[in-house]
């Protein structure tokens, strides 16, 4: 039986917000794909698509209300880049196949997770803004609405690519698979934290929080 210690990484509120966002996005893709392909669908499918468009927005105010500190930590970290992050991205292709060496210690979020966050935020903003234009097209000039459709599709493509990579690294990649526990139970193994988020791990040790 393993004596591995576990370290608290995410609050239960962030876990709830993450899965609300993830399920909403998957349903948006499933209900939006027929529309993207130009397939004639029942009106109910469009209504379902819009319902999940609303639930896709809920995690942000939910986190601001229930775990403001965790939400601000994520957003601030996503746009706070250092040399370490670029060094991580430089060897990331090797990391995917388990061959990376001498990776500098990473923060609470590593360079790859920061890139994932930036692309997710950018893609979400594009989809929400253009989706609003498409939903309430009578409020906008015809030419603007016409452009909203291909831009919305581009935002979806970015998000799908990001999610595929995110899923692989969360449940498929042997080295980073323990991170999935962070989004199910809110904790990660100490060995994972030390290996993948060394600076954050050292900070916890210095503060005697572990």
């Amino acid at each position: 039986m393993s004596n591995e210690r576990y370290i608290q990484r995410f609050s239960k509120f962030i876990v709830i917000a993450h899965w609300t966002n993830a399920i909403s996005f998957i349903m948006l893709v499933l209900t939006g794909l027929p529309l993207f392909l130009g397939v004639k669908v029942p009106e109910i499918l469009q209504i379902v698509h819009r319902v999940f468009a609303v639930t896709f927005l809920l995690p942000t105010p939910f986190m601001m209300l229930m775990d403001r500190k965790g939400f601000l930590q994520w957003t601030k970290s996503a746009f706070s880049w250092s040399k370490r992050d670029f060094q991580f991205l430089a060897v990331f292709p090797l990391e995917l196949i388990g061959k990376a060496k001498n990776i500098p210690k990473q923060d609470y979020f590593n360079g790859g997770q920061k890139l994932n966050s930036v692309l997710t935020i950018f893609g979400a903003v594009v989809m929400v803004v253009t989706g609003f234009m498409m939903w309430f097209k009578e409020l906008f000039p015809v030419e603007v609405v016409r452009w909203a459709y291909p831009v919305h599709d581009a935002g979806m493509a970015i998000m799908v690519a990001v999610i595929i990579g995110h899923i692989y690294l969360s449940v498929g990649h042997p080295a980073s698979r323990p991170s999935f526990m962070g989004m199910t139970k809110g904790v990660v193994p100490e060995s994972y934290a030390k290996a993948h988020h060394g600076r954050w791990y050292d900070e916890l040790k210095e503060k005697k929080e572990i």
Side-chain angles (χ1 to χ4, degrees):
M1 184 174 179
S2 173
N3 293 319
E4 176 87 81
R5 288 200 304 172
Y6 294 91
I7 298 175
Q8 187 69 39
R9 184 157 173 81
F10 299 113
S11 70
K12 62 181 180 181
F13 303 114
I14 289 182
V15 172
I16 292 171
H18 174 272
W19 288 109
T20 300
N21 182 266
I23 293 171
S24 297
F25 179 75
I26 291 172
M27 293 305 300
L28 283 170
V29 172
L30 293 177
T31 56
L33 189 59
L35 301 174
F36 170 75
L37 296 174
V39 177
K40 188 175 182 180
V41 297
E43 186 177 351
I44 186 65
L45 189 65
Q46 297 184 40
I47 295 174
V48 172
H49 188 75
R50 290 171 178 174
V51 168
F52 281 105
V54 174
T55 61
F56 182 75
L57 294 172
L58 294 179
T60 297
F62 176 77
M63 287 190 291
M64 287 292 289
L65 180 64
M66 305 304 296
D67 189 359
R68 183 182 179 87
K69 181 180 178 181
F71 177 73
L72 293 178
Q73 179 184 30
W74 170 60
T75 52
K76 180 181 178 180
S77 178
F79 295 99
S80 299
W81 288 68
S82 67
K83 182 180 179 180
R84 291 184 300 277
D85 299 312
F86 293 104
Q87 289 174 327
F88 177 91
L89 292 178
V91 298
F92 185 65
L94 294 176
E95 172 69 8
L96 285 174
I97 58 176
K99 300 294 184 180
K101 297 180 180 180
N102 301 320
I103 300 176
K105 288 186 176 182
Q106 296 292 294
D107 298 308
Y108 187 82
F109 293 108
N110 61 41
Q113 291 167 333
K114 289 182 181 182
L115 179 60
N116 176 85
S117 296
V118 170
L119 292 175
T120 297
I121 292 171
F122 174 75
V125 169
V126 168
M127 290 186 66
V128 169
V129 172
T130 55
F132 184 83
M133 292 177 179
M134 293 157 60
W135 190 347
F136 301 100
K137 55 176 68 73
E138 65 277 3
L139 301 177
F140 302 94
V142 174
E143 195 62 30
V144 172
V145 175
R146 185 176 296 125
W147 273 102
Y149 283 86
V151 175
H152 190 76
D153 294 341
M156 180 192 71
I158 292 173
M159 292 283 284
V160 168
V162 169
I163 295 301
I164 290 174
H166 182 64
I167 292 174
Y168 168 69
L169 289 170
S170 298
V171 299
H173 193 279
S176 58
R177 191 180 300 150
S179 66
F180 185 69
M181 187 180 294
M183 276 305 169
T184 54
K185 299 182 179 180
V187 298
V188 293
E190 182 177 9
S191 58
Y192 167 82
K194 186 175 182 179
H196 292 264
H197 304 280
R199 283 174 57 84
W200 171 58
Y201 178 80
D202 290 344
E203 289 174 5
L204 294 178
K205 295 284 283 187
E206 289 175 9
K207 295 176 183 178
K208 301 188 185 305
E209 295 181 8
I210 57 173

